[in-house]
Amino acid sequence: MAVLGSIAMAIIYGLKVNLSVAMVAMLNHSALAHHGASSVEEKDHVNAEPVCQGSNSTEAVEDGPFIWSEPVQGIILSCYFWGYLVSQVPGARVAESFSARWVMFFSVLINVVCTLLTPVAAKMHYVAMIVMRVGEGIGGGVTFPAMHVMLASWAPPNERSVMSAIVYAGTALGTVISMLMAGVLAGTLGWESVFYVMGGLSCLWMVLWLWLIQDTPSKQPLISQEERDLITSSLGSSSSGGHNEPKPPVPWRKVFTSGPFYGILIAHICNNWGWYMLLIELPFYMKQVLQFNIKENAVVTAIPFLTMWFFSMALSKTLDALRSRGKITTTIARKTATFIASAVPMGCLLALCYIGCQRGLAVTLMTVGITAIGGMFCGLLSNHIDIAPNYAGTLMAITNTAATLSGIIVPIFVGQITHGNQTIGAWRVIFFVTIALYILEIIAYLLLASGEEQPWNMGDKPASSIEAAEAEATPLNTKESKQNYNSQEQ
């Protein structure tokens, strides 16, 4: 489940970011440079701070067929998040009430279909391109909430960080594979091949998912009774019942007056700004300022996401080991991982503002910064399940919907700042805004976040009803049961 979940996230993110690389090959840079020449001449500070002159800066750039200005490029890249924004909460409720397995399946299916139709849409009009991207966003929006529901039903508490990291680190792995494949395909077979090849390969996952995956351990015939009992006993009756037992209605008032919830919400919004800044805009920074060509761009942009994958695996395993031995609490584990995921990239962006055209140092800083962002997988992204496993999908949908605004704003913001001003000075402004949001994230999460289950996880039931439910579930939650689980795990 964890491996196929990781591949699913890799597909969703791979099909999302391939356009960031492919668009470099799709654009007619000569025509765009001609149209932007007058704008550049009007900006006195541009001549004072030109872009870097790398070893390959004089290399001819092969032009594509599309003359899309920077603002249009920003709209095309950001419109993915219009669909992403509206589908999350409805998708989460469907996943919690009916089937997260089928929600994930249709999510990938929608993305595959829209990806395969992208070349045709792009040649028709950029508006048709926008429609395809919105469709991909609608499919992509439900993935995090649905996977949170799956993890709440499958991941024992002492393995939650590792399983969450395996699943969500697929976003980094998908980014690596997508950027490398997109660069090679666009440079050899043409930009259309990026969408046809990657969309076609993703179809294999859908067959494996329907064959091997079920919503809960109780519905899975491919595991032993021993494994089934191990998982359900560790989770308790509130999670092991799966979709056979209706969950209580979401206690909206208690959710929106919860400090730990707001800690996750603020951190998610700020971290997503930095994440999308590097995920979507990094290829353009590499080309506009550091003067990398399309193949170099793909390789240099992809490497940090590979190191992020390894780092997230190592960090999550370390934190889970410390938690299982009683060395740290869940709260400390989540805050530690989230602090790493924000403080390190913040420092790297600050340094990047002042190193000028040192390409090697710039690549190193970006690699370190993106690698550290991997801490969010076992930090704030796992925290929803800790505080309210019954509503993990809905909570993820709420915070991720708010955080999606970053994905909408970032490409438009960067497009406006760099329009006719593709210089280090322009990117310095962009980086300083990101640094300020990282500072806000660190303060809010350290003050508000918690790793403990909140009382409102059982809904709006009175305390007496909760106690009665816990008493009824005693056989699954006795010390003996938990000791058996710990011994089997060891």
Side-chain angles (χ1 to χ4, degrees), residues 402-423:
T404 298
L405 294 174
S406 298
I408 296 175
I409 296 170
V410 162
I412 297 174
F413 171 68
V414 173
Q416 292 295 333
I417 294 294
T418 60
H419 182 47
N421 184 25
Q422 299 176 357
T423 65

Side-chain angles (χ1 to χ4, degrees), residues 139-152:
V142 302
T143 52
F144 275 94
M147 281 311 307
H148 254 45
V149 175
M150 296 291 291
L151 286 168

Side-chain angles (χ1 to χ4, degrees), residues 210-368:
L210 289 182
W211 174 33
L212 297 173
I213 301 302
Q214 296 294 332
D215 281 301
T216 63
S218 60
K219 294 181 179 180
Q220 177 58 272
L222 301 179
I223 62 176
S224 66
Q225 186 62 42
E226 182 184 13
E227 182 179 2
R228 187 176 295 110
D229 292 342
L230 176 66
I231 297 172
T232 56
S233 64
S234 67
L235 291 173
S237 60
S238 63
S239 296
S240 63
H243 300 284
N244 296 326
E245 298 177 5
K247 293 183 173 68
V250 179
W252 296 109
R253 183 182 61 83
K254 293 180 180 177
V255 169
F256 286 107
T257 55
S258 170
F261 168 75
Y262 279 107
I264 299 173
L265 177 65
I266 295 171
H268 203 164
I269 293 171
C270 297
N271 199 275
N272 257 32
W273 179 281
W275 168 251
Y276 286 124
M277 181 65 67
L278 296 169
L279 183 71
I280 299 174
E281 301 302 332
L282 189 57
F284 290 95
Y285 176 77
M286 305 299 287
K287 175 166 182 58
Q288 292 176 3
V289 176
L290 300 183
Q291 297 293 295
F292 284 87
N293 64 29
I294 180 67
K295 291 183 180 179
E296 284 182 321
N297 197 344
V299 173
V300 174
T301 306
I303 289 174
F305 293 95
L306 181 61
T307 58
M308 177 204 286
W309 187 82
F310 286 113
F311 174 74
S312 64
M313 293 293 100
L315 180 62
S316 63
K317 187 63 178 175
T318 301
L319 293 176
D320 263 0
L322 292 174
R323 287 171 59 213
S324 64
R325 295 171 186 169
K327 301 293 185 182
I328 60 174
T329 64
T330 301
T331 300
I332 292 176
R334 300 291 179 246
K335 289 184 177 181
T336 300
T338 304
F339 179 79
I340 293 172
S342 50
V344 175
M346 179 184 70
C348 291
L349 285 177
L350 183 62
L352 202 60
C353 291
Y354 296 105
I355 64 169
C357 296
Q358 301 179 59
R359 291 172 49 163
L361 183 56
V363 171
T364 301
L365 286 170
M366 286 186 288
T367 301
V368 173

